[in-house]
Amino acid sequence: MDNARTPPNEGVETDRLASVYRLLVEASADMVAVLDLDGVYVLANRAYREFHGVEGDISGQTVQDILGSALWETEIRPQIQRCAESCSARFRSHRHHPTLGPKVLETAYDRIEESDADGLIVAVLRDITREVQEDHHYRLLFQSSRTGLAIIDRDGRILDTNPALAEIVGRSRDELNTLPISDIMPGDAFREADEVAQRRVFAAPHAAEWDSVLLHASGGRRHVQVTAWLVRSGQEDAGRMMLQVRDLTELRESESRYRRVVENAQEGIWVIDENAVTVYANPSIGRMLGYDHRKMVGCHIFEFMDDDGREFARGKLERRADGIAEQYEFPFLHADGHHVLTTMAVSPVFDANHDFRGAVAGIIDVTELRASRAQSEAIRLLSELFLSPRSLDQILEETPALLAATLGYPSAAVEEYLPDENSLLFRGAVGIPDYRSGEDFRVDASVSPAGEVARTGRSLAEPNFTARWSAPDARLEKVLPTSFICAPIPGQSTSFGVISMADPKPRADLSSEMAALEIIAKHLGSEIARRRAVEELRESERSYTSLVSNLSGMVYRCA
């Protein structure tokens, strides 16, 4: 018996394939219809029927029956005839959906080239309304954007630009769209842009941003910020990139003008980040503190303060983080160690997300101003002291404490010069380890710098004078380099003595403080001379009164 299988009936197989094709067409999301050359439907799938608002099988009906004679005559019949002649036709058509309104359809007509299907046309329609709308919106955005936009291919050719970019470079869009991008970029800028495009945009791909320069048609240059990203079509690389170009020229010019103002400002400008690290310091603050302002960048502000200043600044930094702006006086440390008294106006800095990013301060050196005010205050207080009923000894005893308090020195003394002994007698002092009020405290004028001032009548300002200083607990003493100033107190023939002041901390400007002390010394000298003249006059009056009294007694006895 022959076990060979009999081949299936070819007609049955064909019918089966036809059924499969019908099912596939019926389930397709695209609208599919088969028409003859006279516009009679042979087949229309569910998507086609639903879109055109008909139910059931429409085989045997005509396009005029379903869509109307106008559409048949103006669109469908001409396309069928075209397809019959060239085998296919592609076009967009506009239809009005009964409930969804106007729609844009992408339509493809293809002639079936089968012997038993000769004269039939397959029509495939796809609703592209959303894509068209998105493309329309994109074109509107592209054209109306105030930021320059351009589409560039891999070879650097400009494919499209918007009016904003044309304005930036001073050319028409028509002209731009025929140029390579190298024509609107100087050489260095183009090489950088090409490297970014090839290595980061096309190869990675990643969006990239950088500052660049474009050439204006007038010959000038425009500073711009460029952002580039790959243009894709679905998941495929379209071989093009989009450039977004922001014109920063005016911003850069404004920044340049602002920087010149800040760089040339007499006021110190200091900017710190949220960690109190310097991010900018202008030349004025550098000169104020004795540093190269460029080398201050990257330094913590605590590096310019003493221990007390750091403790004070910690509390102020917390207030900056809380958004508090304020003004206060603050003593910074100069590079040479002395204090620089300043007035600071400080404001916090926050970013777009309202996160604290640091602070900016305007700083004025008020050391000399404070010294001038202190000098005026010292003279005022001395004048009040001179007008009081105190004796000269009391005035000399109280003057050092008054000067130390107003001029900010921890040590001060008034010393009377005794030329016969070549010694200095302390008439009043504060901050001198060995001095006790009321005691006869003298020093050898030949070994004291104050003795030289008293003998010569010339003032002395010494920033590194060595002196003994008592520790705060009064049990220890240290020998420290000291800022020392000494001015002669004018007398009748020689100096009455001297006023001296000392500070173990370096002082900012001994010359201005020396000038203040010399004025005070002259005031004190004048008061001493006045008091002594009054005392001499009173002594003369007492002698005259005594003489008159004695003469009167003698006359009385003779009589």
Side-chain angles (χ1 to χ4, degrees):
M1 183 177 179
D2 189 358
N3 292 327
R5 299 183 63 183
T6 305
N9 185 281
E10 291 184 2
V12 174
E13 186 66 21
T14 301
D15 290 343
R16 185 180 300 162
L17 289 174
S19 298
V20 171
Y21 293 153
R22 276 181 179 274
L23 288 174
L24 291 174
V25 168
E26 185 68 16
S28 175
D30 290 334
M31 294 170 272
V32 181
V34 179
L35 311 167
D36 65 14
L37 299 180
D38 295 323
V40 177
Y41 287 105
V42 176
L43 172 69
N45 72 348
R46 182 174 55 193
Y48 187 95
R49 298 193 303 272
E50 288 179 351
F51 182 85
H52 293 96
V54 294
E55 297 180 359
D57 186 11
I58 60 172
S59 300
Q61 298 187 54
T62 65
V63 171
Q64 296 96 314
D65 297 333
I66 303 301
L67 304 180
S69 298
L71 188 59
W72 163 256
E73 294 293 342
T74 58
E75 179 185 302
I76 298 177
R77 184 177 182 180
Q79 295 296 342
I80 287 179
Q81 292 175 349
R82 177 184 169 193
C83 181
E85 296 172 358
S86 61
C87 297
S88 66
R90 302 287 187 271
F91 60 96
R92 285 186 179 183
S93 59
H94 297 266
R95 304 283 172 85
H96 191 280
H97 192 277
T99 57
L100 301 179
K103 292 290 182 178
V104 180
L105 303 179
E106 185 176 66
T107 305
Y109 283 2
D110 290 288
R111 192 175 68 187
I112 302 177
E113 297 184 0
E114 297 288 342
S115 58
D116 58 348
D118 190 29
L120 295 183
I121 303 294
V122 176
V124 179
L125 293 75
R126 188 165 65 89
D127 185 358
I128 59 170
T129 306
R130 184 173 181 178
E131 296 174 22
V132 170
Q133 289 174 341
E134 289 177 350
D135 182 66
H136 177 68
H137 293 158
Y138 160 77
R139 296 305 303 177
L140 284 176
L141 290 173
F142 186 86
Q143 298 299 331
S144 62
S145 174
R146 304 176 96 179
T147 302
L149 298 173
I151 299 176
I152 312 295
D153 67 12
R154 285 180 180 271
D155 297 323
R157 290 190 298 268
I158 300 174
L159 304 179
D160 197 7
T161 56
N162 72 338
L165 182 61
E167 183 178 353
I168 290 173
V169 297
R171 299 172 182 262
S172 69
R173 290 183 59 218
D174 291 339
E175 181 184 5
L176 274 178
N177 294 346
T178 63
L179 298 175
I181 196 168
S182 58
D183 280 12
I184 61 171
M185 277 187 164
D188 292 344
F190 172 71
R191 284 188 289 273
E192 180 185 13
D194 186 59
E195 182 177 356
V196 170
Q198 301 305 326
R199 293 189 178 184
R200 295 175 57 187
V201 179
F202 287 118
H206 297 293
E209 183 176 287
W210 70 99
D211 287 348
S212 189
V213 177
L214 294 183
L215 298 174
H216 193 272
S218 65
R221 295 191 171 204
R222 307 298 293 182
H223 296 278
V224 297
Q225 182 186 71
V226 181
T227 305
W229 63 90
L230 191 65
V231 176
R232 292 183 176 274
S233 178
Q235 296 299 317
E236 298 297 323
D237 176 0
R240 296 173 295 172
M241 69 175 178
M242 175 77 78
L243 297 185
Q244 177 179 278
V245 180
R246 291 182 58 223
D247 189 354
L248 304 180
T249 305
E250 292 185 4
L251 176 62
R252 291 287 184 264
E253 291 174 351
S254 176
E255 289 176 348
S256 178
R257 288 192 297 270
Y258 174 75
R259 180 170 291 275
R260 286 196 298 272
V261 170
V262 170
E263 294 285 341
N264 296 320
Q266 296 300 310
E267 180 184 41
I269 307 295
W270 201 337
V271 182
I272 61 172
D273 65 13
E274 65 272 21
N275 298 314
V277 174
T278 303
V279 295
Y280 176 76
N282 75 339
S284 288
I285 190 65
R287 288 191 296 271
M288 197 182 298
L289 301 184
Y291 294 93
D292 182 336
H293 69 284
R294 293 163 296 190
K295 294 183 179 179
M296 293 175 66
V297 175
C299 297
H300 199 282
I301 58 169
F302 285 179
E303 296 181 35
F304 308 94
M305 305 174 185
D306 60 16
D307 292 340
D308 292 339
R310 294 186 188 102
E311 188 63 30
F312 179 82
R314 286 189 182 95
K316 293 299 184 182
L317 289 172
E318 292 176 0
R319 290 170 64 81
R320 295 299 85 71
D322 291 337
I324 300 172
E326 57 187 328
Q327 182 172 329
Y328 52 88
E329 289 188 347
F330 188 85
F332 285 102
L333 274 182
H334 192 275
D336 64 13
H338 75 258
H339 283 90
V340 178
L341 184 62
T342 67
T343 295
M344 303 177 61
V346 193
S347 298
V349 175
F350 293 88
D351 63 16
N353 296 322
H354 306 290
D355 294 325
F356 177 63
R357 286 292 176 260
V360 57
I363 303 172
I364 299 174
D365 183 353
V366 296
T367 307
E368 292 187 9
L369 177 62
R370 176 56 61 86
S372 177
R373 289 177 178 173
Q375 171 189 329
S376 300
E377 179 66 7
I379 292 173
R380 185 186 68 81
L381 293 175
L382 277 176
S383 298
E384 292 180 357
L385 188 63
F386 296 159
L387 294 173
S388 70
R390 292 174 177 81
S391 67
L392 179 60
D393 289 341
Q394 290 174 319
I395 289 174
L396 296 177
E397 175 69 29
E398 295 178 19
T399 294
L402 182 151
L403 296 180
T406 53
L407 298 182
Y409 274 78
S411 171
V414 173
E415 305 164 60
E416 183 178 357
Y417 178 52
L418 305 175
D420 294 340
E421 302 177 8
N422 194 29
S423 64
L424 292 168
L425 173 64
F426 277 67
R427 301 297 300 271
V430 62
I432 304 298
D434 299 327
Y435 175 77
R436 298 292 181 271
S437 178
E439 295 182 358
D440 187 347
F441 183 71
R442 306 182 185 210
V443 296
D444 187 347
S446 62
V447 298
S448 169
E452 181 69 17
V453 174
R455 286 193 301 272
T456 63
R458 293 194 297 269
S459 300
L460 173 67
E462 176 56 61
N464 291 304
F465 173 72
T466 301
R468 288 188 300 119
W469 291 89
S470 294
D473 60 7
R475 293 176 298 176
L476 299 174
E477 289 187 350
K478 295 181 179 180
V479 178
L480 299 173
T482 300
S483 296
F484 177 78
I485 56 175
C486 185
I489 301 173
Q492 290 182 344
S493 57
T494 61
S495 298
F496 168 82
V498 297
I499 301 179
S500 61
M501 304 185 73
D503 189 348
K505 295 180 180 179
R507 306 287 292 194
D509 185 4
L510 293 183
S511 61
S512 63
E513 294 178 348
M514 186 73 258
L517 191 63
E518 287 174 341
I519 294 173
I520 291 170
K522 289 178 181 178
H523 278 269
L524 185 57
S526 297
E527 181 63 16
I528 292 171
R530 187 186 71 82
R531 293 263 180 157
R532 285 188 167 179
V534 170
E535 186 62 32
E536 289 176 0
L537 180 60
R538 286 175 179 172
E539 183 63 30
S540 297
E541 289 177 350
R542 284 193 294 270
S543 298
Y544 176 76
T545 301
S546 177
L547 177 61
V548 170
S549 177
N550 291 335
L551 289 173
S552 297
M554 292 175 61
V555 170
Y556 177 77
R557 287 193 295 271
C558 290

